[in-house]
Amino acid sequence: MTEIESNPVQRRADLTRACELIAFRMGTQEFCVDIMSVREIRGWTKATALPKSPSFVRGVVNLRGTVLPIVDLAARLGFPAAEPTARHVIIVAQIGVQTVGLLVDAVSDILTVTDDLVHPTPDVASDMAKIFVRGVLAVDQRMISLIALDQLLPACEQDAA
Amino acid sequence: MDAMVAIKQTFFQECEEQLGELEIGLLVLQDGDTDPETVNAVFRAVHSIKGGAGAFNLDELVHFAHVFENVLDHLRAGRLAASGDVLKTMLRAADMLADLVRAARDGGGTDAARRDMLAAELRALDPEAAGLESGGSHRDSSEDNSEGPVFEAVPISFDDMEIEPAPGEHHFCIRFTPKPDLYAKANETALLMRELGRLGEAVITCDFSRLPVLDEIDPEGSYLSWTIELRTVQDETAVRSVFEFVEWDCELDVVPGDAVQRVDEGAVESLIEKMQATIEAELASQKVPPTAIQAPRDELSAPTAGSAGQASSNPPGGKPDTGKSSQATIRVDLDRVDRLINLVGELVINQAMLTQMMLEAGLARASGVANGLDELEQLTREIQDSVMAIRAQPVKSVFQRIPRLVREVAAMTGKTVRLTTAGENTEVDKTVIERLADPLTHMIRNAIDHGLETPERRAAAGKPEEGLVHLSALHRSGRIVIEVADDGAGIDRPRVKAIAVAKGLITADAPLSDEEIDNLIFLPGFSTASAVSDISGRGVGMDVVRRSILALGGRISIRSKPRQGSTFTMSLPLTLAVLDGMVVTVAGETLVVPLTAIIETLQPKHASVHGFGGNTRVIAIRDQFIPLIDVGHELDYRAGFADPCKSVALLVESEGHVRSALLVDAILGQRQVVIKSLETNYQHVQGIAAATILGDGRVALILDVDAVVAGSRVAGAGFEQFCAAAG
């Protein structure tokens, strides 16, 4: 969490077609999402479990009167599921018309990058990487994966009824 | 420009209402009602559409409405009998009028040939064109009863006067008494007088006699009336057209002066005597002292002149109309209502939180705070009810579209169909109504196209050739139930099964009950029609219907008897916003069970629970064995099964009157909860109807009882999923 304060200003300088990203940690890895799709960041509160849902859906919480589903991003990306504590945070993100909470370990940084800094996803075998990672950024010898939000929710299973 | 667009929009909204009234009126007339007020209402509807359309230069619409209005005018004047054929033509004309209105609103054209044909048919009904003129005397006699012995009420058939050629100058005596409504609609009498003055030489006298003293004056009342002596070269129609837009809001009497002079003095005399005799007889029958009877003639005229309804343009049944128009309504943007409803929803949650906090703070139940909270709770509930009532609308608006649909589909299929409806005043939330139209349309089409047989086959089966489709709506246990029943052939089960096998939807040896076979028609891609018709879809029909109803939180079921017909039953929630629920705990989770589903709660005893093979258990309740469903297991909250003796059983009734017992850990209480959709930000979860927010701010899930019951059956019997889903 202390990394937020050491936010490096120089990275934002001299950039023409810049976009801002919010970087966060899950385990030892770093990821980021477009800041424009993030509505707010809040602390973890216990979620109400949803029956018959994929394991990466932690449940739903009350966000000022709205029922907000919580996706465990680690579990969604194929990592071991998080053991949420009070230090975990929920990134409230807008995906299309829906608002979804993403459970992550901690928010680490705000990055200002241009498109040319985003490298294509390395051709690795992982299906998860291909579906959810739009590209990777190299920042200070760290690798930060840019997450494509639109695939996060489980596909609509109309006939599950 | 914007203002104009807005006005136009209002006009089209009003058109829809008028068209609805028109259709209802015509249907009532078709059923043999001869109330002149109904005819007037029908006339008024067409007249208003014409008037509005004229203001927007919608020539096609004006022209057709004008032809229609002319024929209706004859009907109104009694020159045209409301026979079945006439009304059939009028109903089709009403459909055409609706099409023209929609074409004018949405752009796009209409079938000009059809319009011209109908216009010609309407003209053919015109008795004047056909040289018939028989209504006059009938009209006179009907008015005799309502006329008093006052001068201006002498029964003259003005319609006859209209027809007479009018050479040279005419003399009219116009008596004009505005009603308060006239002013309320922003009309100005001075302008009307000015308009009259333009027609010719007018002598206007104002009658102040009804003006009360100052402190009794209602500022919105109407006390003045005018008598205008008009000399003009124009005919009576021109004079009346001045009052065209205030016609319904005033007493108007236009008496051609020369005609008045022609009336035999003796006739007036004898009429007055006749009236006097009638009144005497009436008074005598009421045992009023004889002194009252000896009232001289001029006094006699006083009470009658004071009473309204004298004007010849107003039939005796005119009274209810004034009552109707004074029922004030406003148009409100739906977004505003929705916002209000959301806010009230938040208020309810907040109030619940407050109550919980009070309990946690350990305040005494009898303390002032607790009493205040109780009152707040009551108020909140009332506010909520009132707000919900704003959105509640009778299903009439959907039902109104059905007769036309039935006519069209019947014409296309060559079947004769009679539609009966019941319960069209059943109220339900607007959102439900809006989303009801499509599935209902589909069901009606299906009932006529697939349900009813052709007239020949009906005759062969010994049924009347006219097929019957019955559409009804009613409230049942906090839901609205809509039924579409036909008296057709019923579902051809062997054929349905054969088709499902042929399409690979089921295996040939699947052991299906009759009910399960019926439900096969809800499968995607199933169609029994041997030829794909324009009318009921391409094998998407019932599947789409079922899905749109499920999406509304409703269910659809079917009952069918061979050779007797089928009944489709839709059951929908009344509102998509609040629910009375029982708060229970299951495996550490809090759930809300809709109260409407629960019949009773009980504590199972060890002796009453019996195993029933596999994991199924039943519970004996008053000599009945009822399946016991472990909610925790059903929703995958726990792998094993709960001990029934340490749990509570909720006896519930689900679709099709199936009783089951739901096993939960404990009951926390009963509460009204605000329904929050899970689909907004997530998706449908099987077994869960929606979510809500409880007093502690946490989300609780609302159980979909029917889905849980159906789901347990699937699990228990290991049966194909769709059957349960469809049932």
Side-chain angles (χ1 to χ4, degrees):
Chain A
M1 296 289 258
T2 47
E3 276 159 301
I4 299 173
E5 283 127 50
S6 67
N7 183 13
V9 180
Q10 67 273 17
R11 275 188 213 132
R12 297 191 194 166
D14 308 327
L15 294 169
T16 43
R17 286 193 308 122
C19 70
E20 284 189 301
L21 304 169
I22 283 198
F24 49 87
R25 280 190 300 104
M26 282 188 303
T28 54
Q29 300 205 42
E30 275 193 277
F31 298 87
C32 60
V33 292
D34 189 344
I35 204 166
M36 294 312 286
S37 53
V38 176
R39 300 264 299 270
E40 64 180 283
I41 295 170
R42 65 202 320 266
W44 164 256
T45 46
K46 192 177 178 311
T48 303
L50 286 173
K52 313 213 172 189
S53 290
S55 58
F56 59 82
V57 178
R58 293 302 289 219
V60 284
V61 297
N62 168 21
L63 176 71
R64 292 186 302 280
T66 306
V67 176
L68 185 76
I70 303 296
V71 171
D72 183 343
L73 205 52
R76 185 54 165 152
L77 297 181
F79 298 109
E83 286 297 330
T85 63
R87 294 183 62 83
H88 279 74
V89 291
I90 294 170
I91 299 177
V92 181
Q94 189 78 34
I95 305 178
V97 291
Q98 298 188 312
T99 311
V100 177
L102 308 173
L103 174 65
V104 301
D105 285 359
V107 173
S108 55
D109 210 344
I110 294 176
L111 310 169
T112 307
V113 297
T114 50
D115 285 354
D116 53 302
L117 282 177
V118 182
H119 305 294
T121 315
D123 194 13
V124 288
S126 163
D127 282 339
M128 289 294 175
K130 281 176 194 153
I131 298 170
F132 301 117
V133 179
R134 184 177 291 155
V136 292
L137 295 123
V139 180
D140 295 347
Q141 278 92 50
R142 294 182 288 162
M143 185 190 79
I144 303 178
S145 308
L146 177 61
I147 305 264
L149 288 175
D150 39 10
Q151 301 287 335
L152 283 182
L153 279 185
C156 255
E157 292 145 49
Q158 281 278 336
D159 280 320
Chain B
M1 194 59 205
D2 274 344
M4 201 57 188
V5 171
I7 293 171
K8 208 165 174 172
Q9 223 171 8
T10 310
F11 162 65
F12 284 124
Q13 280 171 0
E14 281 173 0
C15 270
E16 287 295 329
E17 287 164 20
Q18 305 281 11
L19 287 169
E21 266 180 42
L22 171 64
E23 177 146 5
I24 293 171
L26 287 174
L27 288 174
V28 169
L29 289 174
Q30 199 175 31
D31 289 344
D33 187 320
T34 52
D35 184 356
E37 193 43 40
T38 313
V39 183
N40 274 341
V42 166
F43 179 82
R44 214 157 34 220
V46 177
H47 184 75
S48 308
I49 292 174
K50 186 185 97 171
F56 294 108
N57 291 326
L58 303 169
D59 293 334
E60 269 190 20
L61 188 54
V62 173
H63 183 76
F64 188 80
H66 180 73
V67 175
F68 197 177
E69 185 188 5
N70 275 350
V71 179
L72 284 172
D73 194 29
H74 292 304
L75 187 68
R76 189 164 67 136
R79 286 187 297 263
L80 182 68
S83 69
D85 284 344
V86 168
L87 284 166
K88 261 186 193 154
T89 311
M90 284 187 175
L91 275 167
R92 282 193 295 134
D95 292 347
M96 188 68 225
L97 196 65
D99 283 347
L100 284 166
V101 167
R102 270 155 219 157
R105 181 185 60 197
D106 309 329
T110 51
D111 187 349
R114 196 176 132 225
R115 187 190 70 225
D116 293 343
M117 196 185 77
L118 267 170
E121 272 183 55
L122 284 175
R123 277 195 204 95
L125 293 177
D126 195 327
E128 275 173 29
L132 293 168
E133 216 186 287
S134 56
S137 59
H138 163 74
R139 195 176 152 85
D140 279 337
S141 63
S142 73
E143 275 181 13
D144 269 354
N145 312 324
S146 62
E147 302 297 339
V150 277
F151 171 70
E152 63 270 19
V154 170
I156 306 285
S157 175
F158 309 117
D159 298 274
D160 291 346
M161 309 308 287
E162 264 175 65
I163 301 150
E164 264 183 12
E169 193 174 77
H170 298 259
H171 179 235
F172 294 104
C173 173
I174 303 158
R175 217 180 133 69
F176 170 59
T177 314
K179 297 179 192 166
D181 269 354
L182 182 136
Y183 299 109
K185 290 176 186 166
N187 290 299
E188 168 60 82
T189 42
L191 294 177
L192 294 169
M193 298 301 152
R194 195 186 303 161
E195 196 66 28
L196 270 182
R198 287 202 186 118
L199 292 176
E201 193 189 322
V203 181
I204 303 171
T205 34
C206 185
D207 177 7
F208 304 99
S209 61
R210 287 202 295 147
L211 205 60
V213 290
L214 190 59
D215 27 328
E216 277 170 25
I217 286 184
D218 171 7
E220 291 181 357
S222 168
Y223 303 102
L224 302 179
S225 58
W226 285 267
T227 310
I228 305 114
E229 304 278 342
L230 181 69
R231 287 188 178 280
T232 172
V233 290
Q234 306 280 349
D235 60 0
E236 187 181 328
T237 323
V239 175
R240 280 191 177 270
S241 71
V242 169
F243 296 96
E244 194 172 10
F245 290 102
V246 297
E247 210 180 329
W248 315 107
D249 301 316
C250 68
E251 311 281 348
L252 180 65
D253 219 355
V254 182
V255 182
D258 25 351
V260 173
Q261 278 150 28
R262 277 213 312 261
V263 172
D264 187 3
E265 292 279 329
V268 178
E269 201 82 2
S270 70
L271 189 70
I272 292 171
E273 266 162 37
K274 204 167 99 193
M275 288 303 295
Q276 202 170 7
T278 323
I279 292 167
E280 275 173 34
E282 209 160 291
L283 287 177
S285 74
Q286 287 169 8
K287 294 186 181 153
V288 173
T291 45
I293 306 168
Q294 274 143 27
R297 222 172 269 171
D298 50 327
E299 257 179 54
L300 253 183
S301 67
T304 30
S307 67
Q310 296 282 322
S312 56
S313 63
N314 245 16
K319 285 280 164 180
D321 176 49
T322 52
K324 214 192 286 170
S325 62
S326 63
Q327 204 174 40
T329 57
I330 53 163
R331 284 172 205 283
V332 183
D333 198 3
L334 201 57
D335 285 347
R336 292 193 194 180
V337 178
D338 285 346
R339 198 176 135 64
L340 185 63
I341 285 173
N342 281 337
L343 284 175
V344 171
E346 295 298 306
L347 181 68
V348 171
I349 292 172
N350 249 312
Q351 184 262 323
M353 285 166 109
L354 212 57
T355 311
Q356 185 140 347
M357 280 178 214
M358 190 202 73
L359 287 177
E360 279 164 11
L363 285 173
R365 258 263 159 245
S367 67
V369 179
N371 287 341
L373 263 176
D374 280 349
E375 264 168 49
L376 179 68
E377 183 172 351
Q378 221 155 14
L379 272 178
T380 314
R381 218 170 226 276
E382 259 173 57
I383 292 176
Q384 196 168 29
D385 285 349
S386 322
V387 169
M388 295 321 294
I390 295 178
R391 292 198 58 124
Q393 288 192 327
V395 287
K396 206 190 231 163
S397 57
V398 178
F399 277 24
Q400 263 171 22
R401 305 182 207 171
I402 303 300
R404 170 173 189 181
L405 177 77
V406 169
R407 284 197 294 280
E408 282 175 356
V409 180
M412 261 187 261
T413 52
K415 295 171 183 174
T416 39
V417 184
R418 181 170 173 77
L419 175 79
T420 52
T421 55
E424 57 227 323
N425 287 322
T426 313
E427 284 195 335
V428 66
D429 193 83
K430 189 171 162 60
T431 43
V432 180
I433 289 196
E434 279 161 3
R435 292 162 71 180
L436 198 63
D438 280 350
L440 193 60
T441 305
H442 228 108
M443 280 160 72
I444 294 277
R445 282 180 177 169
N446 198 72
I448 299 173
D449 195 24
H450 298 318
L452 295 178
E453 315 94 320
T454 53
E456 300 84 58
R457 285 180 58 184
R458 287 183 69 87
K463 292 184 193 179
E465 285 191 9
E466 192 178 52
L468 192 68
V469 173
H470 184 70
L471 175 63
S472 65
L474 62 125
H475 282 162
R476 187 192 290 156
S477 55
R479 292 173 80 87
I480 182 168
V481 177
I482 293 179
E483 283 193 344
V484 176
D486 64 65
D487 68 342
I491 287 178
D492 185 351
R493 293 195 178 113
R495 202 163 137 249
V496 164
K497 195 171 173 186
I499 288 172
V501 171
K503 297 204 169 175
L505 300 169
I506 54 167
T507 53
D509 53 356
L512 300 181
S513 68
D514 283 354
E515 190 191 340
E516 284 157 358
I517 294 175
D518 292 348
N519 280 319
L520 287 174
I521 65 164
F522 292 115
L523 280 185
F526 183 92
S527 175
T528 53
S530 27
V532 169
S533 63
D534 272 347
I535 304 145
S536 25
R538 284 143 194 44
V540 291
M542 292 321 282
D543 169 41
V544 171
V545 168
R546 190 188 69 117
R547 267 208 245 160
S548 51
I549 290 171
L550 281 182
L552 267 176
R555 279 171 294 278
I556 182 165
S557 62
I558 176 169
R559 286 198 314 275
S560 181
K561 279 188 183 167
R563 293 179 304 283
Q564 287 179 30
S566 321
T567 304
F568 287 84
T569 308
M570 280 196 272
S571 144
L572 296 164
L574 283 184
T575 160
L576 308 174
V578 275
L579 175 117
D580 275 308
M582 188 172 279
V583 185
V584 299
T585 55
V586 177
E589 296 287 344
T590 309
L591 285 172
V592 178
V593 185
L595 213 54
T596 49
I598 301 174
I599 303 168
E600 63 176 279
T601 62
L602 53 119
Q603 183 84 51
K605 295 200 174 58
H606 189 73
S608 61
V609 179
H610 309 276
F612 203 69
N615 291 325
T616 18
R617 287 179 291 184
V618 292
I619 181 168
I621 300 174
R622 288 187 289 280
D623 298 338
Q624 264 190 309
F625 291 103
I626 288 165
L628 195 59
I629 299 164
D630 188 333
V631 177
H633 181 78
E634 202 54 51
L635 295 179
D636 296 340
Y637 283 154
R638 58 180 153 226
F641 289 91
D643 179 359
C645 301
K646 290 179 184 156
S647 314
V648 181
L650 310 177
L651 187 63
V652 294
E653 187 170 79
S654 53
E655 205 64 15
H657 308 287
V658 181
R659 288 192 175 197
S660 328
L662 300 182
L663 210 54
V664 300
D665 292 355
I667 294 175
L668 293 184
Q670 196 174 307
R671 189 166 303 170
Q672 189 173 49
V673 297
V674 177
I675 298 177
K676 300 275 179 181
S677 163
L678 269 180
E679 283 91 337
T680 317
N681 287 322
Y682 188 55
Q683 62 185 30
H684 182 73
V685 178
Q686 202 197 331
I688 300 298
T692 187
I693 293 163
L694 290 182
D696 60 1
R698 283 201 52 198
V699 176
L701 301 175
I702 300 171
L703 202 67
D704 182 343
V705 172
D706 290 351
V708 168
V709 171
S712 76
R713 262 193 245 152
V714 173
F719 203 66
E720 274 100 330
Q721 264 209 333
F722 61 80
C723 282

